[in-house]
Amino acid sequence: MKTYKLRADKTRYMNGYLSVDDIEHTIGDYFLLDQDYWADFWKPIKTEFIDDSDSGSVIHPPDITLWGTTNNFICNEKSYHALKDELEAYGEWLPLTCEHIPYWLLHATKKMSIDAVDTKKSERSTNILGDIEASKIIFKDNAVKDQLIFLTEYNRYKNIYCSERFKHLIDALELKGLVFSEDMTNSPL
């Protein structure tokens, strides 16, 4: 069974962006986002899509993307309605707006403990700031095989990982905007 790290497809689609100013103006304090769950304080926040590509010529918004390099999806209505029920157990669906068009943020909350990682085959280090940098992550198949998406304690929940089943679901629904990478490290590319 394959496991993937999810990344935004910045070469073909615009990237979703929520500004710190808009977050603070709307919910009052950016650091509320350090909490595990957001639904209690969330209010619809303005999002925009920007061209983050090297070419500078991307003009199409995605159906589904990641908010920056965080563990959150930004979904248009098509992807929201297609994935809402499937992903309900994996996070909180929170409303966004983009030029008066509804969008949705899926704040991923499905966290896997370090026990889901084969620590004998995986490698990580801590940098001078105390951040964990994973140079290699190997998941135990039996620990993640039934998960569509998940975060891992091994790298302090920095990235969203998914199963092959989730990849097949996205492909079958023809949702555009994600890259399914076999590079499991903290690398943003």
Side-chain angles (χ1 to χ4, degrees):
M1 180 193 86
K2 285 190 179 181
T3 304
Y4 302 93
K5 176 183 171 184
L6 293 172
R7 295 190 167 109
D9 185 351
K10 296 177 185 180
T11 61
R12 297 188 302 165
Y13 299 96
M14 299 174 86
N15 199 30
Y17 177 75
L18 283 75
S19 79
V20 172
D21 289 341
D22 287 337
I23 292 167
E24 288 191 347
H25 176 74
T26 306
I27 64 171
D29 183 357
Y30 182 82
F31 293 103
L32 286 171
L33 302 183
D34 289 339
Q35 296 181 27
D36 287 340
Y37 297 94
W38 302 351
D40 287 344
F41 60 79
W42 190 266
K43 298 174 187 164
I45 295 175
K46 182 179 82 173
T47 188
E48 58 185 315
F49 292 91
I50 58 174
D51 180 358
D52 261 350
S53 69
D54 291 337
S55 70
S57 61
V58 174
I59 60 171
H60 300 291
D63 296 317
I64 183 171
T65 190
L66 299 178
W67 168 22
T69 58
T70 67
N71 53 5
N72 302 284
F73 292 116
I74 295 177
C75 299
N76 65 11
E77 283 198 278
K78 173 186 173 183
S79 63
Y80 168 70
H81 289 294
L83 297 170
K84 181 174 77 168
D85 294 336
E86 290 281 350
L87 294 181
E88 190 171 41
Y90 295 91
E92 302 174 295
W93 286 106
L94 306 167
L96 300 170
T97 62
C98 180
E99 298 179 8
H100 305 291
I101 298 170
Y103 276 81
W104 296 89
L105 182 94
L106 178 72
H107 172 230
T109 58
K110 180 64 177 183
K111 295 179 176 181
M112 302 299 289
S113 76
I114 207 161
D115 295 335
V117 174
D118 185 336
T119 55
K120 291 181 180 170
K121 294 180 182 176
S122 300
E123 299 170 8
R124 67 182 182 167
S125 61
T126 304
N127 68 22
I128 196 165
L129 299 173
D131 294 327
I132 293 176
E133 299 296 329
S135 56
K136 185 177 183 182
I137 301 177
I138 306 294
F139 291 102
K140 296 176 184 174
D141 284 345
N142 62 343
V144 298
K145 68 180 180 181
D146 295 327
Q147 306 303 317
L148 285 178
I149 63 170
F150 60 92
L151 314 170
T152 178
E153 180 184 8
Y154 192 75
N155 68 353
R156 287 199 185 145
Y157 314 108
K158 284 185 182 178
N159 306 107
I160 299 179
Y161 298 92
C162 75
S163 64
E164 200 159 13
R165 190 166 60 111
F166 182 74
K167 182 182 185 309
H168 290 308
L169 177 64
I170 295 297
D171 291 344
L173 294 169
E174 298 181 359
L175 299 176
K176 307 299 182 204
L178 294 176
V179 172
F180 296 86
S181 176
E182 293 184 42
D183 176 1
M184 307 298 261
T185 67
N186 287 349
S187 167
L189 303 175

